[in-house]
Amino acid sequence: MEQTPVSPRFTGLLGFNAGYVDTAGFLALNGLFTAHVTGNFVTLGAAFVHGTAGAFAKLLALPLFCAVVVLTRLFASSLAAADTAMSKLMCAKVLLLAAAAAVLVAYGPFPDSDAPLAVTGGMLLVAAMGIQNAIQRMHLGSAPPSTLMTGTTTQVMIDLADLCKGVSGEARTAAVGRLRKMLPALAAFASGCAVAALLYWASLMWCFLLPPVVAALATLGIKRAPGDPT
Protein backbone atom coordinates (compact mmCIF):
# COMPACT_ATOMS: atom_id res chain seq x y z
CA MET A 1 0.00 0.00 0.00
CA GLU A 2 1.27 3.46 -0.91
CA GLN A 3 2.68 5.48 1.96
CA THR A 4 0.96 8.82 2.55
CA PRO A 5 3.04 11.88 3.54
CA VAL A 6 1.79 13.32 6.80
CA SER A 7 3.01 15.90 9.27
CA PRO A 8 4.63 15.00 12.62
CA ARG A 9 1.62 16.73 14.18
CA PHE A 10 -0.62 14.08 12.61
CA THR A 11 1.31 11.12 13.99
CA GLY A 12 1.64 12.85 17.37
CA LEU A 13 -2.12 13.31 17.60
CA LEU A 14 -2.66 9.67 16.66
CA GLY A 15 -0.38 8.57 19.48
CA PHE A 16 -1.98 10.94 21.97
CA ASN A 17 -5.46 9.71 21.06
CA ALA A 18 -4.46 6.06 21.31
CA GLY A 19 -3.09 6.51 24.82
CA TYR A 20 -6.06 8.63 25.81
CA VAL A 21 -8.77 6.28 24.48
CA ASP A 22 -7.05 3.19 25.90
CA THR A 23 -6.76 4.73 29.36
CA ALA A 24 -10.23 6.29 29.42
CA GLY A 25 -11.80 3.05 28.23
CA PHE A 26 -9.90 1.05 30.82
CA LEU A 27 -11.02 3.35 33.64
CA ALA A 28 -14.63 3.79 32.55
CA LEU A 29 -15.40 0.25 31.32
CA ASN A 30 -13.90 -1.97 33.99
CA GLY A 31 -10.54 -2.71 32.43
CA LEU A 32 -11.48 -2.79 28.74
CA PHE A 33 -8.52 -2.10 26.46
CA THR A 34 -9.83 -0.36 23.36
CA ALA A 35 -6.55 0.19 21.48
CA HIS A 36 -4.26 -2.53 22.87
CA VAL A 37 -7.00 -5.14 22.44
CA THR A 38 -4.86 -8.21 23.14
CA GLY A 39 -4.45 -6.87 26.67
CA ASN A 40 -8.07 -7.89 27.19
CA PHE A 41 -6.93 -11.50 27.47
CA VAL A 42 -5.25 -10.56 30.74
CA THR A 43 -8.16 -8.54 32.11
CA LEU A 44 -10.59 -11.24 30.95
CA GLY A 45 -8.76 -13.76 33.11
CA ALA A 46 -8.87 -11.32 36.01
CA ALA A 47 -12.62 -10.84 35.50
CA PHE A 48 -13.21 -14.59 35.66
CA VAL A 49 -11.05 -15.06 38.77
CA HIS A 50 -12.36 -12.05 40.70
CA GLY A 51 -15.94 -12.24 39.44
CA THR A 52 -15.89 -8.68 38.15
CA ALA A 53 -18.04 -7.38 35.29
CA GLY A 54 -16.89 -6.77 31.74
CA ALA A 55 -16.11 -10.29 30.55
CA PHE A 56 -18.49 -10.14 27.59
CA ALA A 57 -17.05 -6.85 26.30
CA LYS A 58 -13.52 -8.23 26.60
CA LEU A 59 -14.50 -11.38 24.67
CA LEU A 60 -16.13 -9.31 21.94
CA ALA A 61 -13.33 -6.75 21.55
CA LEU A 62 -10.81 -8.86 19.63
CA PRO A 63 -13.13 -10.36 16.98
CA LEU A 64 -14.70 -6.95 16.41
CA PHE A 65 -11.27 -5.36 16.12
CA CYS A 66 -10.22 -8.01 13.57
CA ALA A 67 -13.40 -7.52 11.54
CA VAL A 68 -12.89 -3.75 11.44
CA VAL A 69 -9.29 -4.14 10.27
CA VAL A 70 -10.39 -6.48 7.45
CA LEU A 71 -13.15 -4.08 6.36
CA THR A 72 -10.75 -1.14 6.55
CA ARG A 73 -8.27 -2.94 4.33
CA LEU A 74 -10.93 -3.84 1.78
CA PHE A 75 -12.24 -0.28 1.70
CA ALA A 76 -8.78 1.24 1.31
CA SER A 77 -7.90 -1.21 -1.46
CA SER A 78 -10.96 -0.11 -3.42
CA LEU A 79 -9.61 3.46 -3.72
CA ALA A 80 -6.79 4.40 -6.04
CA ALA A 81 -5.30 7.29 -4.05
CA ALA A 82 -3.78 6.47 -0.66
CA ASP A 83 -4.39 9.93 0.78
CA THR A 84 -8.07 9.77 -0.25
CA ALA A 85 -8.46 6.42 1.50
CA MET A 86 -6.78 7.67 4.65
CA SER A 87 -8.86 10.85 4.76
CA LYS A 88 -12.09 8.88 4.46
CA LEU A 89 -10.97 6.37 7.06
CA MET A 90 -10.02 9.15 9.46
CA CYS A 91 -13.48 10.67 8.98
CA ALA A 92 -15.02 7.30 9.83
CA LYS A 93 -12.85 7.16 12.94
CA VAL A 94 -14.02 10.62 14.00
CA LEU A 95 -17.66 9.55 13.60
CA LEU A 96 -17.10 6.37 15.63
CA LEU A 97 -15.42 8.30 18.45
CA ALA A 98 -18.20 10.88 18.42
CA ALA A 99 -20.85 8.13 18.58
CA ALA A 100 -18.99 6.48 21.46
CA ALA A 101 -18.84 9.79 23.32
CA ALA A 102 -22.58 10.34 22.80
CA VAL A 103 -23.43 6.92 24.24
CA LEU A 104 -21.00 7.04 27.14
CA VAL A 105 -21.80 10.60 28.20
CA ALA A 106 -25.57 10.14 27.86
CA TYR A 107 -25.86 6.82 29.69
CA GLY A 108 -22.73 6.40 31.81
CA PRO A 109 -21.18 5.80 34.19
CA PHE A 110 -21.96 2.08 34.16
CA PRO A 111 -21.97 -0.03 37.33
CA ASP A 112 -22.09 -3.06 35.01
CA SER A 113 -19.75 -2.69 32.04
CA ASP A 114 -21.48 -5.66 30.36
CA ALA A 115 -24.71 -3.65 30.14
CA PRO A 116 -25.79 -3.26 26.48
CA LEU A 117 -25.10 0.47 26.27
CA ALA A 118 -21.73 0.12 27.99
CA VAL A 119 -20.75 -2.61 25.53
CA THR A 120 -21.99 -0.47 22.65
CA GLY A 121 -19.86 2.49 23.72
CA GLY A 122 -16.83 0.28 24.28
CA MET A 123 -17.14 -1.45 20.91
CA LEU A 124 -17.44 1.88 19.11
CA LEU A 125 -14.12 2.84 20.69
CA VAL A 126 -12.60 -0.52 19.69
CA ALA A 127 -13.79 -0.04 16.10
CA ALA A 128 -12.27 3.45 15.98
CA MET A 129 -8.94 2.13 17.23
CA GLY A 130 -9.14 -0.76 14.76
CA ILE A 131 -9.28 1.79 11.95
CA GLN A 132 -6.33 3.67 13.44
CA ASN A 133 -4.26 0.49 13.71
CA ALA A 134 -5.05 -0.42 10.10
CA ILE A 135 -4.16 3.09 8.90
CA GLN A 136 -0.83 2.78 10.69
CA ARG A 137 0.06 -0.49 8.98
CA MET A 138 -1.22 0.47 5.53
CA HIS A 139 -0.18 4.09 5.19
CA LEU A 140 2.36 4.92 7.92
CA GLY A 141 4.73 1.97 7.86
CA SER A 142 7.80 4.18 8.26
CA ALA A 143 6.42 5.84 11.40
CA PRO A 144 6.59 4.30 14.89
CA PRO A 145 3.37 2.54 16.02
CA SER A 146 0.86 4.87 17.59
CA THR A 147 -1.01 2.33 19.74
CA LEU A 148 1.44 -0.36 20.92
CA MET A 149 4.37 1.00 22.85
CA THR A 150 6.10 -2.18 24.11
CA GLY A 151 8.16 -2.64 20.95
CA THR A 152 8.89 1.07 20.73
CA THR A 153 10.04 1.22 24.36
CA THR A 154 12.26 -1.84 23.84
CA GLN A 155 13.91 -0.31 20.77
CA VAL A 156 14.41 3.02 22.55
CA MET A 157 16.20 1.27 25.42
CA ILE A 158 18.37 -0.74 23.00
CA ASP A 159 19.37 2.40 21.11
CA LEU A 160 20.11 4.28 24.33
CA ALA A 161 22.26 1.38 25.50
CA ASP A 162 24.15 1.38 22.20
CA LEU A 163 24.75 5.13 22.45
CA CYS A 164 25.94 4.72 26.04
CA LYS A 165 28.50 2.11 24.99
CA GLY A 166 29.79 4.48 22.32
CA VAL A 167 28.72 3.03 18.97
CA SER A 168 29.88 5.11 16.02
CA GLY A 169 29.43 5.48 12.31
CA GLU A 170 26.31 4.16 10.62
CA ALA A 171 25.17 2.36 13.78
CA ARG A 172 25.16 5.62 15.72
CA THR A 173 23.39 7.49 12.93
CA ALA A 174 20.70 4.80 12.73
CA ALA A 175 20.19 4.76 16.51
CA VAL A 176 19.89 8.55 16.70
CA GLY A 177 17.45 8.54 13.77
CA ARG A 178 15.23 5.96 15.41
CA LEU A 179 15.26 7.83 18.72
CA ARG A 180 14.20 11.05 16.98
CA LYS A 181 11.12 9.26 15.68
CA MET A 182 10.33 6.96 18.59
CA LEU A 183 10.77 9.26 21.58
CA PRO A 184 8.09 11.72 20.37
CA ALA A 185 5.74 8.79 19.68
CA LEU A 186 6.31 7.42 23.16
CA ALA A 187 5.83 10.85 24.72
CA ALA A 188 2.60 11.44 22.78
CA PHE A 189 1.10 8.13 23.90
CA ALA A 190 2.17 8.64 27.53
CA SER A 191 0.76 12.17 27.59
CA GLY A 192 -2.55 10.86 26.25
CA CYS A 193 -2.67 8.32 29.08
CA ALA A 194 -1.93 10.99 31.68
CA VAL A 195 -4.48 13.48 30.35
CA ALA A 196 -7.16 10.79 30.13
CA ALA A 197 -6.60 9.74 33.73
CA LEU A 198 -6.77 13.35 34.91
CA LEU A 199 -9.92 14.20 32.94
CA TYR A 200 -11.66 10.97 33.92
CA TRP A 201 -10.93 11.75 37.56
CA ALA A 202 -12.28 15.28 37.09
CA SER A 203 -15.27 14.64 34.83
CA LEU A 204 -15.96 10.89 34.48
CA MET A 205 -17.69 10.16 31.15
CA TRP A 206 -17.35 13.73 29.88
CA CYS A 207 -13.70 12.90 29.20
CA PHE A 208 -14.82 11.01 26.07
CA LEU A 209 -15.68 14.28 24.34
CA LEU A 210 -12.00 14.96 23.65
CA PRO A 211 -11.00 12.01 21.38
CA PRO A 212 -13.25 12.92 18.42
CA VAL A 213 -11.95 16.48 18.57
CA VAL A 214 -8.33 15.27 18.55
CA ALA A 215 -9.09 12.88 15.69
CA ALA A 216 -10.69 15.69 13.70
CA LEU A 217 -7.61 17.87 14.24
CA ALA A 218 -5.38 14.99 13.14
CA THR A 219 -7.41 14.59 9.95
CA LEU A 220 -6.59 18.19 9.06
CA GLY A 221 -2.89 17.27 9.22
CA ILE A 222 -3.03 14.85 6.29
CA LYS A 223 -1.01 16.18 3.37
CA ARG A 224 -1.72 15.30 -0.24
CA ALA A 225 1.11 13.61 -2.07
CA PRO A 226 2.31 15.49 -5.15
CA GLY A 227 0.51 14.29 -8.24
CA ASP A 228 -2.40 12.67 -6.43
CA PRO A 229 -5.83 13.55 -7.78
CA THR A 230 -7.69 16.26 -5.90
Side-chain angles (χ1 to χ4, degrees):
M1 181 69 69
E2 180 184 351
Q3 298 295 295
T4 303
V6 293
S7 66
R9 170 177 169 271
F10 176 78
T11 53
L13 290 173
L14 286 186
F16 176 90
N17 233 14
Y20 189 103
V21 171
D22 222 19
T23 301
F26 186 91
L27 292 171
L29 299 171
N30 205 357
L32 176 68
F33 285 108
T34 53
H36 184 201
V37 289
T38 52
N40 290 311
F41 292 138
V42 176
T43 54
L44 176 63
F48 284 143
V49 170
H50 295 295
T52 54
F56 176 71
K58 295 176 179 68
L59 282 170
L60 185 59
L62 185 59
L64 175 67
F65 181 90
C66 293
V68 169
V69 170
V70 169
L71 291 173
T72 300
R73 175 64 169 180
L74 293 174
F75 174 79
S77 298
S78 70
L79 299 176
D83 64 330
T84 300
M86 190 160 72
S87 294
K88 290 181 181 296
L89 290 170
M90 283 297 298
C91 289
K93 177 189 161 188
V94 172
L95 292 175
L96 287 168
L97 290 173
V103 171
L104 295 171
V105 169
Y107 299 103
F110 301 98
D112 180 6
S113 53
D114 275 337
L117 287 171
V119 173
T120 299
M123 293 309 103
L124 287 168
L125 295 175
V126 169
M129 290 297 102
I131 291 176
Q132 178 167 322
N133 274 275
I135 286 173
Q136 180 83 41
R137 298 289 292 181
M138 294 187 300
H139 300 291
L140 305 171
S142 61
S146 61
T147 57
L148 304 175
M149 289 296 122
T150 305
T152 298
T153 303
T154 302
Q155 187 61 56
V156 165
M157 294 302 107
I158 289 172
D159 288 335
L160 288 175
D162 286 345
L163 292 176
C164 287
K165 72 178 184 180
V167 294
S168 59
E170 292 184 2
R172 179 181 177 82
T173 301
V176 171
R178 283 192 297 268
L179 286 172
R180 285 176 176 169
K181 291 196 298 185
M182 291 184 173
L183 284 174
L186 191 58
F189 185 89
S191 63
C193 295
V195 173
L198 178 62
L199 291 186
Y200 180 78
W201 172 78
S203 63
L204 293 178
M205 294 296 175
W206 291 97
C207 71
F208 288 101
L209 294 177
L210 184 59
V213 175
V214 174
L217 292 173
T219 305
L220 298 176
I222 299 173
K223 296 180 180 177
R224 288 191 177 277
D228 278 351
T230 57

